[in-house]
Structures are given as structure tokens and as C-alpha cells.
Amino acid sequence: MSNQAHTELHVFDVLARAFAQEGVGTCFALLGDANMNWAARLAGHGCRMIYVRHEHCAVAAAMAFARKSGEVGVASVTCGPGLTQLMTALPAAVRARLPLVVFAGEAPLRSGWYNQAIDQAPFVVATGAAYHSLHLPERMPIAVRDAFLQARRERRPVVIGVPFDLQERPWTGSEKLPAPSSTLLPRLSPVPANPDDVTRVAEMVCGARRIVVMAGMGAVEAGAGPACRALAERCDALLATTLPARGLFHDDPFSLGIAGGFSTDMARACFAEADLVVAIGCSLAQHNSDAGKLWPNARVLQIDLDPVAVSQGRVAAEMHLRADARLGAEALAAALRSRPSDWRSVELAERLRTTPADSMAFDIEPGRHDPRAVVAALEGALPGEWEMVNSSGHCSYFFAQMPSRPQERFLTIREFGAIGNGISFAMGVAAAQPDRTVVMFDGDGSLLMHVQELETIRRHKLNILIVVLNDRAYGSEIHKLRAEGMAGDGAVFEATDLAAVARGFGIGGETLVSLSAIPEMVARFAETGGAAVWDVPVSDRVLSPVMRRANAARAAAVNSAAAGRK
Ligand SMILES: Cc1ncc(C[n+]2csc(CCOP(=O)(O)OP(=O)(O)O)c2C)c(N)n1
Ligand SMILES: [Mg+2]
């Protein structure tokens, strides 16, 4: 910095420089008094600013950006009402263990009263994110660097709050900024397994008859896919993944696909036979094991950097091997005797390849589609290199059934179970992969919750195709209400013409009349690029297997309560 420039610098200039020096190339923001000077300066450093229409969406997009890029996701909101909009996104980011830094303003310190003032720290801390109030200008550059270090190390969001009157002060601190966090990051090698532990667990694996090797995001991050396949081959095991890691074994003939509520009929049948699940780099969440019902006869060996006994309130694993996912899988495979194929067979591979995920028949009303047929048509027509984003709702089960799609082209973030994130996640992926087309799958209710972001997509020229399974309802809710004999009030809506809504925002919009049009529509979109919403009218009579099982369990509980009263 020259002396001349120095005298003109403000605190926000230096704060923006500190972010630029951290290598921040993309920031999702919505402006207000408390962050606009900072954002304008950051843009001046060449950072791509994606200005969204709701603060929640800034953080949600940064989450997908972080997951997809492996970098720290960055977002910015103004003080008070800007920050309080983050109360759904931050817990989701905390639970998904995503490193984020959020630059938030704070109310000015000089005023005795300020309209937007609120004690911000308790809000943020309640979500599980970290909050740092920066009130000493000369220390702010170091505090920014430390926020990036903390976000990476703890894998969670860190929110920085800076009163905007402090930001506007002339900079009087040192001209030299601290070295960026990347220069300080410990260079750590993957953690190998302790050989004694390997010997112990290998014995137990050798004693099992039917093994499933199941991989989660820890395996994805460790590049453990090939090691998991080799381990499974060595012990005659089948393969599966968690929902976020789906596609890691998409081209393996012995892959069961997703383990959990979204499992196919075949996967459920095979898991029921298993007497051992080797869970590699996954946290064994409730959904992953379908609350323990997926493998009723199996013990669980967890290979993870941070193994647990109890996960989400359930004893999740009886045996543990602490190791990096890849090194742990490799060490275990090396310690096992190779065994003859007993479970793996040509016939089983054929059945896995050809058995439909769910073959239940439904009586579908004319003019509406079976969501399973829609997804099968999309699976056949969508180019393999497009990035896929699966959102939420009842429809997400159907959209998860695309067995030919590899993990590296797939994103779903389901922690905290919020709807309304599809467009934001698609924006985050589009920002992380600017040369690719993103196809996002959503429900009508979820899309409408943050439909304003269609404007953001158009303005920033993001290449995003949105496919909506439109049942004119909160499907998850009506299916439960109906099962309990209640009307669908509050969960069933009038038909909204989502294609017209999309066109109103200035992007493409089409209603899908015939499934046979899909290949041609895909080809046209691939040629033109841009953004569009395809509104697919689907029947609300098709219940996913997850919903059918949940309803059956609910009915059984109601019946046994009624029997108890008699
Ligand atoms: C933020 C938030 N609000 C409410 C819910 C409850 N909820 C779960 S699924 C769902 C319905 C979603 O409807 P839609 O996106 O149309 O998908 P569908 O279930 O119809 O396939 C609702 C309201 C939630 N999970 N998150
Ligand atoms: Mg719906």
C-alpha cells in the first residue's frame, strides 16, 4: 500500500483485502448498510459477487459451493434482519460440516439506539456456528484469517460481525496484512490404521458370511472408492453408499446403490441377509440405516477418523477401526484371506441390474405422470456430464433413483431436513463449476418457498435446468394426513403454472405433457444453455416406499393403541 493510498483507506477496504488475500473468488451476498462497502471493495479485488434475493439463499448457495469446490464458502449479510434470516441455513451447514465464513455487519456502536440492532451472537451460537464480534480495527485482518482457519479446522460456519461505523473509520493499523491462512495450514498426511487394530477387526470380518461395504462422504473425500471396491471384492461383499455419497460405485455390478430409507427393493433384501456392515467414512446417521431396520441381522464395523458408538441416539457400531477411509480399507483388505464367491454371482449382478427400484402398481389419473416413469425418462436422456442436484420433499426419493450417475456429478445436502434449498444449492454448484450445466430436481412446494432466486439465476446467467415434480401439494404432508384419515387442508394447493412463473422471471419455462418429448427437450436445452423450469405434472397417488413403510408403521401404532384401549 502506498502512503497516499494508506491515508485514504478505510477499515472496510482492509477487511475486503483480507478476504481477497484468503483467495475468496466467489461470494454470495445480499446488501445493506452494514456490508455494502465491504462487498463493493471485495468485488473490486476481482471476487465474483453473486447477489441473491434472500439472505438464507446466500448461505445455502455457499454451502453447496463449499461442498462442490472443497474450498471455504463465503457469504455476506447485513446486520439485524439480514442476519436473523440465516436461522435455517446455519444449522444445516453446521450439521453438514461445511466450512463457511459469513461476513455480517453489526449495528453501529456509536448510537444509543439503532432500528436494526439485535444481539446477534446468541442467534448464531444457537445454530452451532461460531460468532466473532470484531470491535478492534487493527486486529481485524488477523481475525479474518483466523476465521478461515477455524472454518476449515472445525468444518463449520464462522460468522464475523463488524459494526458498520467501525468499518467506515479510516484505517490506522499496519500496512502489512498477515500471511493468508493457507500458508499456516498444517500439512497432514492421512492417518493410517494401527496394525493391532487391523488384526483384531480382520478376524471378525473373516468370521462373517454376508458382508456389505458401505461408504459415506468420508470415503468420498479420502478418495477411498477404489479401496472400498477392492475390499468388497476380497471379502465377497456387496457395495452401498449413503445418500450424499450415492454414485460412488455406480458402475460396479455388485452395487446396491443407496443404503437407507431410499434403498431399492433389491438393496433391502440383500441388507436383510447381511451379517456384517463395514461402514467406511460415514457417520451412521439414522436415515442411513433406516433407523436400524435396514440391516436387522448385521453387526457394524465402522472405519472412520472419528468412530462413534452411538450416532443420533442409536447404538450404531459395535466395532471400530480408527483410520483414514482409504488407508483403513486398504489395510483391512491386505489383512484378509481372499474368499470364494458365495454371495457375489452372475445371477445376483443381473438381478441388481434389472430389478426396478420399486415395482408397486398405482392407478394414475389421466393427464398426470408416474414420477418413477419421469425419472426413468430423465435418466435415459440427461447427459452424463451434467451436475445433478437433488433437493427435498417426497419427490426426492424418486429423483435419487438414477443408478447410472456418478458421485462426482451429484449433490444433496439433507442435514436439518429443510425444504426450499434446491435453487440455492444449484446456484452454489453452478458457481463452483461454471463450465457445466446443472440440473436441479425439486418439488413444487420447495421451489415456491424461494422462487425469487429464479431472478438471481437469470441475472447471473447461470446455466441451470430445474425439473419439478409438481403434485400441487406438500406431498410429504398429504400422504401422512391421508394415512391418518384427515383431509389434505394446508398441504394441497391449487395448480400453479410454474412454467409461466419461470417465464415471468425471464427464463425458460415448459410444462411436460408427454414423456416422449424429454430427449428432444434435453437436446434443445443442451444447445441453448441458459436457465429453465420444466413443470412436470405428477400424480399424487404414487407413494414412495419410504412413505408406505412410514404409513404402515403409523397404522400399526394406531391399531395397537386402539387394541390397548379396548
Ligand atoms: C423449511 C421447512 N418447512 C417445512 C418443512 C416440512 N415439509 C417437509 S416436506 C414438505 C413438502 C415439500 O413439498 P414439495 O417440495 O412440493 O415436495 P413433495 O413432498 O410434494 O414431493 C414440507 C412442507 C420442512 N421440511 N422444511
Ligand atoms: Mg409437491
Side-chain angles (χ1 to χ4, degrees), residues 280-355:
I280 304 184
C282 61
S283 56
L284 291 161
Q286 284 274 358
H287 283 313
N288 178 207
S289 66
D290 203 6
K293 296 191 288 287
L294 191 60
W295 49 77
N297 307 310
R299 301 211 293 160
V300 177
L301 162 64
Q302 187 189 24
I303 303 180
D304 199 89
L305 281 171
D306 184 17
V308 294
V310 172
S311 172
Q312 300 186 345
R314 199 178 57 84
V315 174
E318 297 83 13
M319 295 150 296
H320 308 94
L321 179 64
R322 184 178 56 197
D324 164 76
R326 179 176 63 80
L327 294 183
E330 284 172 357
L332 181 57
L336 296 176
R337 297 183 301 276
S338 168
R339 54 208 264 173
S341 292
D342 173 41
W343 207 4
R344 288 183 165 214
S345 69
V346 177
E347 298 77 55
L348 178 65
E350 186 57 15
R351 280 199 292 139
L352 285 170
R353 196 176 65 76
T354 54
T355 312

Side-chain angles (χ1 to χ4, degrees), residues 232-431:
E233 200 173 339
R234 191 150 185 91
C235 58
D236 186 40
L238 307 183
L239 287 154
T241 69
T242 61
L243 174 62
R246 67 148 293 296
L248 188 60
F249 311 123
H250 73 291
D251 53 357
D252 193 293
F254 295 105
S255 171
L256 301 175
I258 301 164
F262 285 9
S263 282
T264 62
D265 287 350
M266 270 298 285
R268 295 192 83 80
C270 291
F271 265 114
E273 278 187 54
D275 60 356
L276 177 68
V277 172
V278 181
I280 304 184
C282 61
S283 56
L284 291 161
Q286 284 274 358
H287 283 313
N288 178 207
S289 66
D290 203 6
K293 296 191 288 287
L294 191 60
W295 49 77
N297 307 310
R299 301 211 293 160
V300 177
L301 162 64
Q302 187 189 24
I303 303 180
D304 199 89
L305 281 171
D306 184 17
V308 294
V310 172
S311 172
Q312 300 186 345
R314 199 178 57 84
V315 174
E318 297 83 13
M319 295 150 296
H320 308 94
L321 179 64
R322 184 178 56 197
D324 164 76
R326 179 176 63 80
L327 294 183
E330 284 172 357
L332 181 57
L336 296 176
R337 297 183 301 276
S338 168
R339 54 208 264 173
S341 292
D342 173 41
W343 207 4
R344 288 183 165 214
S345 69
V346 177
E347 298 77 55
L348 178 65
E350 186 57 15
R351 280 199 292 139
L352 285 170
R353 196 176 65 76
T354 54
T355 312
D358 169 36
S359 41
M360 182 85 157
F362 294 93
D363 182 21
I364 291 172
E365 62 274 47
R368 308 203 75 81
H369 300 290
D370 183 329
R372 296 169 299 182
V374 178
V375 170
L378 290 168
E379 159 85 329
L382 292 170
E385 72 275 12
W386 286 10
E387 292 284 345
M388 295 192 165
V389 176
N390 197 348
S391 181
S392 51
H394 181 238
C395 59
S396 65
Y397 160 81
F398 302 110
F399 283 130
Q401 309 299 334
M402 293 202 194
S404 75
R405 309 291 158 161
Q407 201 285 327
E408 58 273 23
R409 297 273 169 271
F410 176 77
L411 175 135
T412 196
I413 303 175
R414 301 293 297 261
E415 289 82 355
F416 203 42
I419 66 165
N421 289 320
I423 306 180
S424 307
F425 289 164
M427 293 196 295
V429 173

Side-chain angles (χ1 to χ4, degrees), residues 443-445 469 471-475:
D444 50 317
L469 287 186
D471 60 358
R472 304 168 291 188
Y474 289 154

Side-chain angles (χ1 to χ4, degrees), residues 93-150:
V94 169
R95 289 163 200 221
R97 307 194 65 224
L98 291 164
L100 306 180
V101 172
V102 180
F103 180 88
E106 269 187 12
L109 290 176
R110 66 172 160 247
S111 324
W113 174 86
Y114 184 70
N115 192 22
Q116 297 183 335
I118 195 162
D119 188 2
Q120 296 186 169
F123 282 91
V124 173
V125 171
T127 69
Y131 188 77
H132 299 297
S133 251
L134 272 48
H135 288 189
L136 185 63
E138 58 266 36
R139 216 178 164 276
M140 287 181 190
I142 289 183
V144 168
R145 180 204 67 191
D146 289 351
F148 278 84
L149 284 172
Q150 185 182 11

